[in-house]
Structure formats: C-alpha cells, structure tokens
C-alpha cells in the first residue's frame, strides 16, 4: 500500500483538499468520480423523457383506466384533459409532457415532444343512469342538454397513429 495520503492540500493557493493522484485510491477516485457523475446525469435524463414503449404502455393503461369511469362534465367540453390525466396517472413514464389534440367525433391525438409516435384515442360519454345522490330526497332531474354538466360514464379505445 502506498504511503501517500488519499487527499492532499491543493497547490493552487487554496486551502482545500483534492484527490492525490500518487495514491491508488486517490487515482481510482479521480477516474470514478466523473464516470459516476455522467451516469447520474444520463439516468436523470432518461427518467425525465418519454420513450416509445413508455408512451405506448401509458396510453394503453390510461385508456383501460378511463373505460367505465364516471366524470362530471358536459358533452360539449374538450375531453383531452381526461385522457392526459389518465395517461399521467398510469404511473408509466415521466408523467409530464403529454399532449392531446382534439380531432372530431370524440377522437384525440395523443403525443409527446420526446417521441415520434402518436395514438388516436376515441372517447365516448354516456349519461350515467345511476349518478351519485347530490341532494337526498330530490326528484329526478330531466336529461341534461349537451352543454349542461352531468355525470357521464366514459368508454375509450385507442389505435396507433394520428386520428383522421
């Protein structure tokens, strides 16, 4: 084993300690420290961007979670936020950066800036026949008009590619 210490005072006029390249442990630390730092940076980058597989799995899980879920909304609303929220809540991928673009007839193109792949999610809403009781003893209300808020059940499917 070397008699040289692992750390020595810097010779650049400061009183801080630096790795000693004459000691095998100090030399190993000089080599390993930047490699570990680079590995951590690459790991952080990979954890903050979407991959193709993550987006596919998140959309699949989000659509499965949306199917049969109750929502308080109107038929005329843009329901892209429901899809984006379900994709984020799937727990797959970084959870941010999901974009939905409304097309037509309840179809939304789902994508991210990190991937080239797009998915077409089709969501339909049907009036919930057994909504939660909001006011006990209240009479049945008439069916809502398309712009009125009411409880709806969502049914969703998806396919690969942008909606046409």
């Amino acid at each position: 084993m070397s008699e040289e210490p692992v750390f020595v005072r810097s010779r650049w006029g400061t009183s801080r300690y630096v790795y000693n390249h004459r000691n095998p442990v100090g030399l190993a630390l000089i080599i390993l420290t930047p490699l570990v730092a680079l590995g951590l940076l690459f790991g952080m980058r990979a954890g903050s961007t979407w991959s193709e597989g993550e987006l596919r799995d998140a959309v699949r899980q989000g659509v499965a979670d949306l199917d049969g879920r109750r929502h308080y909304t109107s038929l005329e609303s843009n329901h892209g936020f429901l899809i984006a929220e379900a994709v984020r809540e799937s727990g797959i991928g970084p959870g941010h950066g999901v974009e939905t673009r409304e097309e037509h007839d309840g179809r939304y193109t789902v994508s991210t800036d990190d991937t080239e792949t797009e998915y077409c999610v089709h969501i339909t809403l049907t009036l919930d026949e057994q909504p939660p009781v909001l006011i006990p003893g209240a009479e049945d209300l008439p069916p809502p008009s398309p712009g009125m808020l009411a409880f709806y059940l969502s049914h969703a499917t998806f396919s690969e590619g942008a909606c046409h």
Side-chain angles (χ1 to χ4, degrees), residues 53-73:
E54 285 175 333
L55 180 60
R56 180 191 61 243
D57 294 344
V59 169
R60 179 179 291 131
Q61 182 65 46
V63 165
D65 292 345
L66 267 178
D67 205 32
R69 187 184 284 181
R70 178 182 290 145
H71 305 282
Y72 188 64
T73 186

Side-chain angles (χ1 to χ4, degrees), residues 113-134:
D113 286 339
D114 302 327
T115 61
E116 298 290 324
T117 308
E118 295 179 321
Y119 293 92
C120 181
V121 176
H122 184 214
I123 186 167
T124 56
L125 299 172
T126 56
L127 188 62
D128 188 357
E129 299 298 327
Q130 298 294 323
V133 176
L134 298 178

Side-chain angles (χ1 to χ4, degrees), residues 144-160:
S145 65
M148 288 180 59
L149 292 173
F151 285 98
Y152 292 93
L153 295 175
S154 62
H155 305 283
T157 59
F158 80 100
S159 61
E160 191 168 335

Side-chain angles (χ1 to χ4, degrees), residues 86-142:
V87 170
R88 279 191 298 274
E89 288 178 354
S90 72
I92 301 170
H96 59 80
V98 177
E99 300 171 4
T100 58
R101 187 174 63 247
E102 185 174 18
E103 302 296 341
H104 56 84
D105 298 332
R107 296 182 195 287
Y108 296 84
T109 299
V110 179
S111 62
T112 67
D113 286 339
D114 302 327
T115 61
E116 298 290 324
T117 308
E118 295 179 321
Y119 293 92
C120 181
V121 176
H122 184 214
I123 186 167
T124 56
L125 299 172
T126 56
L127 188 62
D128 188 357
E129 299 298 327
Q130 298 294 323
V133 176
L134 298 178
I135 304 171
E139 295 180 24
D140 290 339
L141 298 173

